[in-house]
Amino acid sequence: MTRFIFITGGVVSSLGKGLASAALASVLQTRGFKVRLRKLDPYLNVDPGTMSPYQHGEVYVTDDGAETDLDLGHYERFTGVASRRSDNITTGRIYSNVIAKERRGDYLGATVQVIPHVTDAIKEFIKSDITDEDFVLCEIGGTVGDIESLPFLEAIRQLGNELGRERTMFVHLTLLPYIPSAGELKTKPTQHSVKELLSVGIQPDMLMCRSDREIPQGERRKIALFCNVREEAVIPALDVDTIYEVPISYHDQGLDEQVCKHFGLAEAPPPDLDRWRRIVERIRFPEGEVRIAVVGKYTSLLDSYKSLAEALHHGGIANNVRVRLDWIDSQIFESEDAVHHLEDVHGILVPGGFGERGASGKIEAVRFAREHKVPYFGICFGMQMAVIEAARNQAGLPNATSSEFGPCEEPVVGLMTEWTRGNQTVRRGNGDDLGGTMRLGAYECHLRDGSKVAEIYGHKVISERHRHRYEVNIDYMERLEATGLVFSGMSPDGVLPEIVERPDHPWFVGVQFHPELKSKPFDPHPLFTSFIKAAIAQSRLV
Ligand code: GLN
């Protein structure tokens, strides 16, 4: 029997609802339950794929090629359960499905309304694609009280009624602000937020209260009384040093115990949190430190590189070192010499990106890494820039560029209009819609025997997630290989370059895919582990 836990947020946004949901799921998992996490987003975009990284942060891509909210990254990193297309939905998608149905005449003449048609579509989504999961945790995006989230709240209210208390639980995450002049944590915003929830017919079963300090028993009692929640179900969600400590901290505060109690699962085995304890131990007591420069464009909003930053830290956990990240806006290299900024770093990473702005600065960063033999990791756009750098500075093609930047003479990186997925041919045109039309999701890649990547992965065939429109142009392969750049990973049909590397360099790898999306703290991605290992070797040189 699948049980549903609905997680809402109140008082303010950015309370870390995604992380809280992920951590709760991971603790339930360590008690032996099978979990799945979902996110319901109230905005009107059909998916976040067309949103600016400055607005929305990273777009997380699933194996089955969905462009989703970055919280799905937290879900995967905490539980190891691969997210699917069916784990994220937006108001935009719900409405576009409902309207398409209306146009087909599927509503048989009915007046199509938010209740019941939109709410039915939301409920259908929540209950879809479930097999033998013990718990499905559904996080509702936004803050209670927003106009946009009302249909979602109404849908989960109805589900609570239909499935009953034995199968549903409402968890509300709030904030207890500390007012220094009063020397007190304030409970009023939480009371108001719960009132707001009650006004749409939802009585929370549990409150998780974010706070920067211990919550005195008196305050817990007060919250319980005013919000009509059992005192033990008012769970302090205290700030911790590292996000990977959250499952342990929540467990210590009684979170999973209360969930089990709610569902009558008091006999459930106790959680085994050793995995998390080991990770936290390594983060707390590293044996050294390396500095990695991330040369990108969206460095002012670090959420744009959420999975990347985590994957680099996982590489640090694997090697027992702290990874310090220097976020550098690539545009500065267009007016200044890269040397000043990159001189004492132990590794340089150019991440995924879009558009011409800042591209020449990234190419300068690649040149610096190549010439100074500093470990270099290029991801997606970062691989494309490495190829353009080789073409311009080594292969005698000064006009080499990407057709992403406009019509050009030497499209070393070009628009891909046709490719194969399994045994199907996928086609795209120049003027196609921008949403959902990139090469998206998991694709296989064949590694060259004896290459560095074959050694790193320990396999010949790998599968990694993609999100890009342009590809390294195979017509230039020979001229590029003559410069010492080896094409060590190719698509199974041998047409699309997936990985380039330089055997004459301590560590220089560019990948067309996004390995950061699959890295987990307890299962660091081999490329990040290897890159950080190379950075440690470099740190002994500088
Ligand atoms: N802009 C490049 C492309 O579309 C790279 C995309 C990325 O880095 N994710 O191919």
Side-chain angles (χ1 to χ4, degrees), residues 2 32-33 99 108 115 203 258 274 278 306 422 445 480 501:
T2 303
F33 294 113
I99 290 167
L108 307 174
I115 306 172
Q203 163 67 57
Q258 292 306 319
D274 277 359
R278 275 197 300 272
K306 192 78 220 159
C445 159
L480 288 164
E501 63 181 70

Side-chain angles (χ1 to χ4, degrees), residues 352-355 379-381 384 404 438 467-470 514:
F354 292 85
I379 293 183
C380 206
F381 202 61
Q384 298 174 357
E404 180 173 359
M438 285 189 249
R467 182 175 185 253
H468 55 103
R469 208 176 297 284
Y470 300 86
H514 288 276

